[in-house]
């Protein structure tokens, strides 16, 4: 039971860290997207976050509910291993675009 609790704490901490990074993306991108007064991009609705996928770093806006899905959490772990979360590039998913689109269509 202690292992499950530690695992849940780790997942919660990871999700909080990702949300902090995602909420700061609009502030770090200069003139890339129109911004509201609070610094968040206008094209990212409440309850969503942005990821960049593939070699061309195509931008996707996803619902926050994806963060709790085990399939998406695997992608986040791969992203952390490959890129880490402490950089200025936004949340980048190391995955081919076609595979990512297929996965996200199954999660919707």
């Amino acid at each position: 039971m202690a292992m499950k609790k530690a695992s849940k704490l780790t997942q919660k901490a990871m999700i909080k860290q990702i949300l902090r990074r995602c909420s700061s993306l609009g502030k770090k991108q200069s003139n890339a997207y129109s911004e509201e007064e609070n610094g968040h991009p206008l094209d990212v609705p409440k309850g969503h976050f942005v990821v960049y996928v593939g070699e061309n770093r195509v931008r996707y806006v996803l619902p926050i509910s994806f963060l709790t899905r085990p399939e998406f959490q695997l992608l986040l772990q791969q992203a952390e291993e490959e890129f880490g979360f402490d950089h200025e590039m936004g949340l980048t998913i190391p995955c081919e675009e076609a595979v990512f689109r297929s996965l996200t269509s199954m999660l919707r």
Side-chain angles (χ1 to χ4, degrees):
M1 183 164 171
M3 185 110 162
K4 279 188 176 183
K5 188 173 183 179
S7 176
K8 282 190 177 191
L9 288 175
T10 303
Q11 286 179 353
K12 286 182 182 180
M14 183 172 70
I15 290 172
K16 285 181 182 179
Q17 182 180 15
I18 290 166
L19 290 175
R20 270 193 305 262
R21 290 282 303 146
C22 292
S23 66
S24 67
L25 287 177
K27 297 174 187 172
K28 294 178 182 175
Q29 295 175 355
S30 59
N31 298 326
Y33 302 95
S34 298
E35 297 180 4
E36 296 178 356
E37 287 180 13
N38 65 6
H40 296 289
L42 289 172
D43 64 336
V44 180
K46 185 174 183 176
H48 290 73
F49 66 104
V50 173
V51 297
Y52 298 91
V53 179
E55 290 180 16
N56 296 326
R57 293 183 33 83
V58 176
R59 184 175 187 262
Y60 289 88
V61 178
L62 304 173
I64 287 178
S65 63
F66 279 17
L67 294 173
T68 61
R69 302 292 299 265
E71 303 90 340
F72 196 78
Q73 288 179 2
L74 286 173
L75 286 177
L76 293 176
Q77 289 172 354
Q78 290 175 353
E80 181 179 27
E81 289 172 8
E82 189 163 330
F83 304 111
F85 293 132
D86 189 24
H87 56 77
E88 301 293 321
M89 296 172 24
L91 181 55
T92 305
I93 304 293
C95 181
E96 293 180 17
E97 290 177 59
V99 174
F100 183 79
R101 283 192 303 268
S102 176
L103 173 67
T104 55
S105 69
M106 290 188 295
L107 295 176
R108 291 186 192 269

